[in-house]
């Protein structure tokens, strides 16, 4: 039996809306035309799929039985089309990078391995939660916890890394080789939602009152100012070295806090041939970078 996939899609939309008028508007079709298309499908299958009434349309027993398979049929057709396009299209991959991470070595190695491919990068703010779903990136290197659901995504663990205390250079812990969380018992630490960063509640300094706590819309530099002026401290992933360029800020390893986990996130089932190579490169180079970072922290 030759079934027109376009008719199958029309069927699933009518089933979703339960109304031919609303389904026709969704599909940008005239309602009589949509009705004729569904009748064509019913004729091909030899069954009635909908019970029609002035209140709307409901699935018949045959329609309810056909719906799951119809959805799978459309999904498999789309997957087959993506696979075919990936086989003939120029090989391109866009790698997203969450703020605070550097993936230059990883990208350079991927380009070396695939000189005929096009490897692009895109720096993402931690609030940019739709880049993968909207296909603005094909992969994302980020810290857990991830600020979006992982349904339909492949999450590959790359490595774990320690965390560091970020504080003003004049803080009494600034010159320590390492600190324990017990040393921060007088700080009210608050984990940032969906990020690996922990901030302390701002305190007054000398005769200066405590400022408001960091807000979502505050820039990274704004938050560093709170640290540099002694109003609060933070705990960052060890590889986030953006604060290290400031002489008024100190980084001190924290020895008894759970490590951060760095992951590579891609869309599950993505046929892009460069993604498997990217995963291998990321495991090798980002894992190596983490081990080197850990050694540096242990020596310092």
């Amino acid at each position: 039996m030759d079934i027109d996939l376009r008719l199958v899609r029309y069927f699933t939309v009518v089933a979703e809306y339960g109304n031919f008028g609303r389904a026709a508007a969704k599909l940008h079709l005239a309602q009589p035309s949509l009705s004729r298309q569904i009748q064509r499908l019913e004729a091909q299958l030899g069954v009635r799929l909908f019970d029609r009434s002035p209140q709307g349309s409901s699935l018949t027993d045959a329609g309810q039985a056909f719906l799951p398979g119809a959805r799978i049929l459309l999904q498999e057709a789309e997957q087959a089309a993506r696979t075919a396009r990936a086989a003939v299209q120029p090989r391109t991959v866009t790698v997203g990078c969450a703020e605070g991470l550097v993936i230059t070595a990883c990208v350079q190695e991927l380009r070396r391995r695939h000189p005929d491919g096009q490897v692009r990068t895109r720096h993402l703010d931690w609030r940019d939660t739709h880049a993968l779903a909207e296909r603005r990136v094909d992969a994302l290197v980020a810290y857990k916890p991830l600020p979006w659901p992982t349904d339909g995504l492949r999450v590959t663990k790359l490595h774990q890394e320690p965390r560091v205390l970020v504080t003003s250079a004049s803080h009494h812990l600034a010159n320590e080789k390492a600190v324990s969380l017990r040393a921060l018992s007088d700080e009210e630490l608050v984990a940032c939602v969906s990020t690996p960063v922990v901030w302390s509640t701002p305190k007054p300094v000398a005769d200066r009152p405590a400022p408001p706590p960091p807000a979502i819309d505050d820039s990274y530099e704004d938050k560093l100012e709170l640290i540099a002026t002694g109003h609060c401290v933070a705990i960052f992933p060890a590889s986030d070295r953006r604060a290290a360029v400031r002489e008024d800020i100190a980084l001190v390893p924290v020895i008894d806090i759970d490590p951060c986990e760095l992951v590579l996130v891609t869309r599950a089932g993505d046929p892009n041939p460069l993604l498997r190579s990217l995963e291998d490169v990321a495991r090798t180079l980002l894992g190596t970078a983490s081990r080197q970072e850990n050694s540096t922290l242990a020596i310092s």
Side-chain angles (χ1 to χ4, degrees):
M1 178 182 295
D2 294 328
I3 299 180
D4 189 336
L5 289 179
R6 181 186 54 170
L7 302 184
V8 176
R9 177 170 177 264
Y10 291 168
F11 162 74
T12 61
V13 174
V14 176
E16 176 184 353
Y17 283 87
N19 181 282
F20 272 80
R22 290 196 295 271
K26 171 67 174 179
L27 294 166
H28 304 291
L29 293 174
Q31 183 173 337
S33 175
L34 177 60
S35 295
R36 289 193 297 271
Q37 301 302 329
I38 295 299
Q39 288 170 359
R40 282 183 55 199
L41 180 61
E42 290 176 325
Q44 288 181 357
L45 297 175
V47 296
R48 186 164 48 87
L49 298 172
F50 292 101
D51 285 327
R52 298 159 176 83
S53 70
Q55 290 73 36
S57 301
S58 59
L59 289 168
T60 63
D61 290 344
Q64 290 177 349
F66 182 58
L67 182 58
R71 288 173 171 160
I72 293 173
L73 185 63
L74 293 174
Q75 292 170 357
E76 290 182 344
E78 175 60 26
Q79 179 63 36
R82 287 199 300 267
T83 303
R85 287 194 294 267
V88 298
Q89 287 180 343
R91 295 193 296 177
T92 66
V93 65
T94 301
V95 185
C97 177
E99 58 184 349
L101 287 167
V102 178
I103 60 170
T104 304
C106 181
V107 171
Q108 287 178 335
E109 174 61 16
L110 189 63
R111 287 171 176 158
R112 187 193 67 79
R113 294 188 185 186
H114 303 277
D116 57 335
Q118 299 181 37
V119 183
R120 305 187 181 99
T121 60
R122 185 184 295 272
H123 183 273
L124 300 175
D125 184 274
W126 69 271
R127 292 165 292 184
D128 193 354
T129 60
H130 302 292
L132 270 170
E134 294 174 355
R135 297 183 178 273
R136 287 184 283 117
V137 299
D138 302 299
L140 177 63
V141 180
Y143 291 112
K144 292 182 70 175
L146 298 171
W148 60 79
T150 57
D151 296 342
L153 299 177
R154 172 179 167 83
V155 181
T156 302
K157 177 181 175 181
L158 299 177
H159 69 250
Q160 289 184 325
E161 66 179 63
R163 306 193 199 203
V164 294
L165 174 68
V166 184
T167 185
S168 70
S170 60
H171 194 278
H172 69 278
L173 296 175
N175 295 320
E176 296 292 329
K177 291 184 177 180
V179 298
S180 166
L181 285 178
R182 292 190 299 274
L184 302 173
S185 59
D186 60 339
E187 302 280 359
E188 185 178 351
L189 299 176
V190 180
C192 289
V193 177
S194 300
T195 79
V197 178
V198 177
W199 293 91
S200 69
T201 301
K203 295 180 177 181
V205 175
D207 58 347
R208 291 170 290 169
I216 290 178
D217 293 330
D218 289 346
S219 69
Y220 176 80
E221 289 72 21
D222 291 331
K223 294 173 181 177
L224 284 186
E225 283 300 315
L226 288 176
I227 296 174
T229 54
H231 286 292
C232 67
V233 300
I235 298 175
F236 282 13
S239 65
D240 188 342
R241 309 293 291 178
R242 290 175 292 174
V245 299
R246 295 187 54 151
E247 295 182 355
D248 54 357
I249 288 179
L251 306 181
V252 185
V254 182
I255 60 175
D256 56 356
I257 189 172
D258 291 338
C260 295
E261 187 172 305
L262 187 69
V263 295
L264 175 69
V265 190
T266 58
R267 291 180 293 272
D270 193 324
N272 190 322
L274 288 177
L275 290 178
R276 185 180 296 275
S277 183
L278 171 63
E279 181 176 326
D280 179 62
V281 169
R283 284 181 182 275
T284 301
L285 293 183
L286 295 180
T288 299
S290 174
R291 289 191 291 272
Q292 291 174 345
E293 179 71 32
N294 294 349
S295 298
T296 301
L297 287 172
I299 294 170
S300 61

